[in-house]
Amino acid sequence: MLDQQRITEAESNVRQYLQDGLLKKQTNETARIMYIENADISLETAKKLLALESKDYFPYLWVIVTSYYSMYYIANAVLLKLGYKVGDKISHKVTADAIIVFVRNKLRKSLLEEYENVQADVMELMSQRADVLLKSLDEERTKRSRFQYQMDEKAKRGKAITSLERAKEFVFEMKKLL
């Protein structure tokens, strides 16, 4: 679940990004469609890479990287739908922060509406699911960077599978907002 410190940090960062032009009020339907296509291709690539795993071939780094990128692309598609275009500089951080600020409550509402007939204790869990889902984008961004630049090529298979599952769920839920 996202903690309040992370939410506050994202809100502060987004104000600065807007002021600095790293995030702009803008729509672009062509780019939005491209982001959706890239999200789908990235997710499919991650699935295919994992299927190629063998005793001599461990594509886990690239499963994690492509899983993360599917999340990154769909997040940018949703931001464009909401009228925000992420610039080229530090785009991954800007996207992660902007998605928390602009999508968190919409996603929470969407998830709650989906389960409005469920008992009260399950409703509480679902309201927290939005934070968990958005935190997964942050975690995957950090993991992708760590795996890509700091870890050995033989990253654990479990981490790759976790990345792929997070990406599938994230893309599925974000598409509901489109």
Side-chain angles (χ1 to χ4, degrees):
M1 189 158 139
L2 289 174
D3 60 26
Q4 188 55 48
Q5 181 180 352
R6 177 66 182 103
I7 294 165
T8 303
E9 172 195 329
E11 290 168 344
S12 174
N13 287 347
V14 165
R15 281 190 296 275
Q16 192 64 48
Y17 300 151
L18 286 165
Q19 194 173 34
D20 294 346
L22 297 174
L23 182 66
K24 296 178 181 175
K25 288 285 282 177
Q26 180 182 337
T27 60
N28 183 329
E29 187 61 18
T30 303
R32 189 180 71 79
I33 291 167
M34 181 205 64
Y35 279 132
I36 294 168
E37 289 172 2
N38 286 348
D40 291 341
I41 289 168
S42 296
L43 199 52
E44 192 59 33
T45 299
K47 290 176 194 176
K48 287 179 179 180
L49 283 169
L50 194 56
L52 293 173
E53 163 193 37
S54 70
K55 67 177 184 157
D56 298 324
Y57 182 64
F58 309 101
Y60 307 135
L61 165 66
W62 296 106
V63 172
I64 291 167
V65 169
T66 54
S67 294
Y68 164 75
Y69 269 94
S70 71
M71 297 167 79
Y72 170 78
Y73 289 133
I74 201 68
N76 275 281
V78 169
L79 289 171
L80 275 170
K81 175 144 177 85
L82 296 173
Y84 293 95
K85 174 77 172 95
V86 175
D88 295 335
K89 293 182 181 174
I90 63 168
S91 65
H92 294 266
K93 179 67 171 150
V94 173
T95 298
D97 288 340
I99 209 80
I100 290 170
V101 172
F102 298 121
V103 177
R104 183 171 170 263
N105 288 330
K106 289 178 187 341
L107 187 57
R108 178 178 281 164
K109 182 179 182 223
S110 167
L111 291 170
L112 288 173
E113 286 172 1
E114 223 175 278
Y115 296 99
E116 72 183 356
N117 295 324
V118 180
Q119 296 176 342
D121 57 332
V122 175
M123 293 278 286
E124 174 60 27
L125 290 174
M126 297 316 329
S127 71
Q128 295 173 9
R129 188 170 172 215
D131 285 351
V132 170
L133 199 59
L134 295 175
K135 185 175 181 192
S136 72
L137 175 64
D138 254 1
E139 289 172 348
E140 290 304 312
R141 180 178 58 85
T142 302
K143 186 195 303 182
R144 188 240 352 148
S145 176
R146 189 173 65 242
F147 270 57
Q148 194 166 354
Y149 302 114
Q150 299 170 6
M151 281 194 166
D152 199 330
E153 182 64 33
K154 291 186 177 183
K156 300 223 184 230
R157 183 178 195 273
K159 291 192 182 289
I161 291 170
T162 298
S163 292
L164 180 56
E165 292 305 314
R166 280 180 178 164
K168 283 194 246 181
E169 182 179 13
F170 188 85
V171 169
F172 176 78
E173 294 297 339
M174 296 300 277
K175 280 187 173 182
K176 291 178 186 177
L177 299 175
L178 295 169

